[in-house]
Amino acid sequence: MKPRMISRRRMLQGALAATATIPLLNSELARGQETTAPKRFVVFYTPNGTMESKWMPTGTENNFTLSPLLQPLSPFKSKIIPMRGVNMNVVVNSNVGSEHARGIGGLLTGRALLKGNFKSFMSTNAGWSSGISLDQHIANKLQPQTLFKTLELGVQVRDAEVRGRLSYAGPDQPIPPREDPYDTFQQLFGATVPDPGQDPGGATALDRLRAQRRTVFDLLREDIADVRPRIGKEDRIKLDSHLQSIRDIEARLAGGGSSNGGGGTPSTSCKAPALGDRIDLSKDDNMPAIGKLQMDMMAAALACDLTRVATIQWSYAESEHLYPFLGLTQNHHAISHEWNAAGDEKYMKIHTWFAEQLAYLLGKLDSYAEGDRTLLDNTVVLWVTEIGESRQHALTNIPFLLAGSAGGVFKTGRFVDYLANGGSARQHNDLLVTIANAMGTDDKTFGDPQYSTGALPSLT
């Protein structure tokens, strides 16, 4: 009888057959090449800079006090790295676009704007950015086998020009964020999480998916058992290793983690968030509800391994958004230039609220267990805004903050002040390189090489 052999095609097709809906098991996992929880990269953007005196922590690297604007992040103090002394010199001297437009265009690209005809503040010559953004670069380099290469979400962005774009596929190639959480839900979960009224049997999509995968794994085990006696010792060792990887995958699907304790997605991780009643996306009062929906779906998408790279953008650079839910009547940009105590109080309300939103997202990520870590621990979150001190439209000393350690790469729970003890400012291009390296790339520079010399010290 002709020996029965397992083709690579069959092995992959079998292992992947049950992943067409919720990709808890990606093709890399199917090949047994990934037994630890993956790293993720998240960008959290808020507009209109900050008040430096109210944002910067005080104290030393390892003994610091969070500032008033950062107080909402107190529960995560041990998992964050606020930074001082990081400049965006790559866009400081450009004469294309306003500081707001230059800032958001260069935030993730590390490059200046191209010339164009967009209006931004008192400028009329702004174009799109001249380079790829870090999120897209990381996804292109690492090629994660996820359903979505990247996920770009927006919360009432409302601007289709340079001020409203954070991600770029390349020079002059902006990527619009998804602003409709209902559309986001359908794209991420619509095909896999049915309406309760359409699922009278009561079985969840995840339960059915697990049952399908169990069948696949049973077939694979039968194939392996059949062919094992027919191969040599060396190939038998490889085959046994593959069988162990199947057991690891099954453990991940069951929520038990991999056999080496390297993490994995618990069974609750792939539960789609509830949308609730449809809300009016055009009302400023609904910004908190829209943002919460988007953050819930981002966290679920990361936990389900639907994507490993995501951005969330609140409003747009130079934002004139209203915040009636905070008791404010003036727009954000006007408040950011109100040079008095009343203006300070209103400005702090807005930016404290944004810090609360980041705290909510960090809490969601931290709620997902992955072995002896959490999803937050295996993620690096970068909080960014397009300018530094808002009243001066500064493009220096930008209030960058990292959260999560990218699987233990970043040494969190510290205040990294590059200006301390007479130190020199660093370039934000090198912060981008540092993040790329932490995610697993071999980049030496990123963005404009004139402003990039390598990874930043003191972060890893």
Side-chain angles (χ1 to χ4, degrees):
M1 184 177 74
K2 186 177 180 180
R4 183 182 180 195
M5 298 301 293
I6 309 172
S7 71
R8 174 181 167 84
R9 176 184 293 272
R10 178 173 181 187
M11 187 73 77
L12 292 181
Q13 283 179 338
L16 292 175
T19 68
T21 52
I22 305 175
L24 284 171
L25 169 63
N26 63 37
S27 60
E28 293 301 314
L29 287 173
R31 289 190 287 268
Q33 296 177 1
E34 182 174 86
T35 57
T36 59
K39 297 177 183 180
R40 292 82 156 191
F41 175 47
V42 170
V43 178
F44 187 92
Y45 166 85
T46 58
N48 286 339
T50 192
M51 294 171 63
E52 184 176 328
S53 63
K54 305 293 185 183
W55 190 92
M56 290 296 168
T58 56
T60 62
E61 178 180 349
N62 296 301
N63 185 18
F64 65 96
T65 301
L66 290 176
S67 59
L69 292 181
L70 296 182
Q71 280 303 311
L73 300 180
S74 294
F76 306 99
K77 186 180 177 184
S78 65
K79 297 191 177 188
I80 64 174
I81 308 175
M83 286 174 277
R84 178 171 178 257
V86 181
N87 298 342
M88 284 203 293
N89 284 359
V90 69
V91 295
V92 166
N93 297 319
S94 172
N95 61 3
V96 178
S98 70
E99 289 88 349
H100 288 282
R102 280 184 267 158
I104 194 169
L107 264 179
L108 298 185
T109 65
R111 290 188 177 271
L113 295 180
L114 299 168
K115 288 186 177 180
N117 56 9
F118 298 138
K119 295 180 180 180
S120 60
F121 201 48
M122 300 179 70
S123 172
T124 59
N125 68 344
W128 302 116
S129 183
S130 58
I132 189 172
S133 56
L134 182 64
D135 54 320
Q136 302 302 308
H137 171 76
I138 288 173
N140 288 345
K141 269 252 183 171
L142 302 182
Q143 291 292 311
Q145 300 298 306
T146 54
L147 186 60
F148 296 89
K149 184 180 79 170
T150 59
L151 179 65
E152 297 79 29
L153 300 180
V155 183
Q156 294 188 329
V157 175
R158 299 176 177 171
D159 192 298
E161 297 185 350
V162 64
R163 299 180 307 173
R165 297 294 178 262
L166 187 65
S167 295
Y168 286 82
D172 214 21
Q173 299 177 61
I175 300 175
R178 298 176 185 270
E179 295 186 60
D180 185 338
Y182 304 97
D183 171 68
T184 303
F185 182 90
Q186 288 301 318
Q187 291 294 318
L188 293 174
F189 304 105
T192 63
V193 183
D195 184 279
Q198 299 175 359
D199 190 18
T204 67
L206 188 56
D207 289 335
R208 292 194 299 275
L209 185 60
R210 284 201 186 96
Q212 292 170 349
R213 284 173 171 164
R214 278 195 295 270
T215 302
V216 169
F217 291 139
D218 287 342
L219 290 173
L220 283 172
R221 270 192 293 266
E222 290 176 9
D223 281 345
I224 290 172
D226 185 55
V227 77
R228 192 176 186 277
R230 309 173 188 276
I231 59 178
K233 181 179 178 181
E234 185 176 340
D235 286 336
R236 195 176 300 162
I237 292 173
K238 293 179 181 178
L239 204 57
D240 288 344
S241 176
H242 187 78
L243 183 59
Q244 182 58 51
S245 75
I246 292 175
R247 296 191 186 102
D248 290 340
I249 293 165
E250 287 184 299
R252 290 191 67 178
L253 293 179
S258 66
S259 63
N260 67 354
T265 307
S267 59
T268 57
S269 293
C270 278
K271 181 180 179 181
L275 284 179
D277 295 333
R278 179 173 285 273
I279 56 178
D280 188 341
L281 303 181
S282 67
K283 289 186 176 180
D284 290 346
D285 260 329
N286 287 335
M287 188 183 210
I290 297 167
K292 183 176 181 294
L293 286 174
Q294 297 285 58
M295 289 188 288
D296 286 348
M297 279 183 281
M298 173 186 282
L302 292 167
C304 292
D305 211 21
L306 291 165
T307 189
R308 297 180 186 177
V309 180
T311 60
I312 184 165
Q313 178 181 341
W314 297 80
S315 193
Y316 61 94
E318 195 185 318
S319 173
E320 295 182 326
H321 202 284
L322 300 176
Y323 295 83
F325 53 89
L326 296 178
L328 303 175
T329 56
Q330 290 174 279
N331 76 65
H332 189 182
H333 190 250
I335 290 172
S336 73
H337 290 289
E338 192 173 334
W339 293 65
N340 53 43
D344 287 357
E345 182 180 354
K346 287 179 282 189
Y347 189 87
M348 287 183 66
K349 278 187 177 182
I350 295 172
H351 283 260
T352 300
W353 182 79
F354 276 131
E356 291 170 351
Q357 306 318 297
L358 176 59
Y360 177 82
L361 177 61
L362 299 185
K364 291 293 293 186
L365 299 179
D366 213 31
S367 70
Y368 292 108
E370 294 188 328
D372 58 356
R373 290 178 173 156
T374 69
L375 175 56
L376 175 58
D377 297 327
N378 292 316
T379 302
V380 55
V381 180
L382 174 64
W383 184 10
V384 296
T385 185
E386 78 271 15
I387 56 176
E389 179 68 37
S390 66
R391 293 168 177 172
Q392 300 175 0
H393 282 172
L395 292 168
T396 56
N397 202 16
I398 309 298
F400 291 112
L401 183 144
L402 297 177
S405 66
V409 176
F410 291 106
K411 297 177 182 177
T412 58
R414 299 178 301 128
F415 170 38
V416 175
D417 184 357
Y418 292 110
L419 302 181
N421 303 315
S424 301
R426 306 290 177 145
Q427 296 307 312
H428 104 286
N429 290 59
D430 290 340
L431 172 60
L432 302 183
V433 173
T434 308
I435 294 171
N437 292 166
M439 287 295 294
T441 78
D442 58 357
D443 297 292
K444 304 302 181 185
T445 64
F446 185 78
D448 189 333
Q450 295 182 67
Y451 298 92
S452 186
T453 59
L456 288 177
S458 305
L459 290 180
T460 60

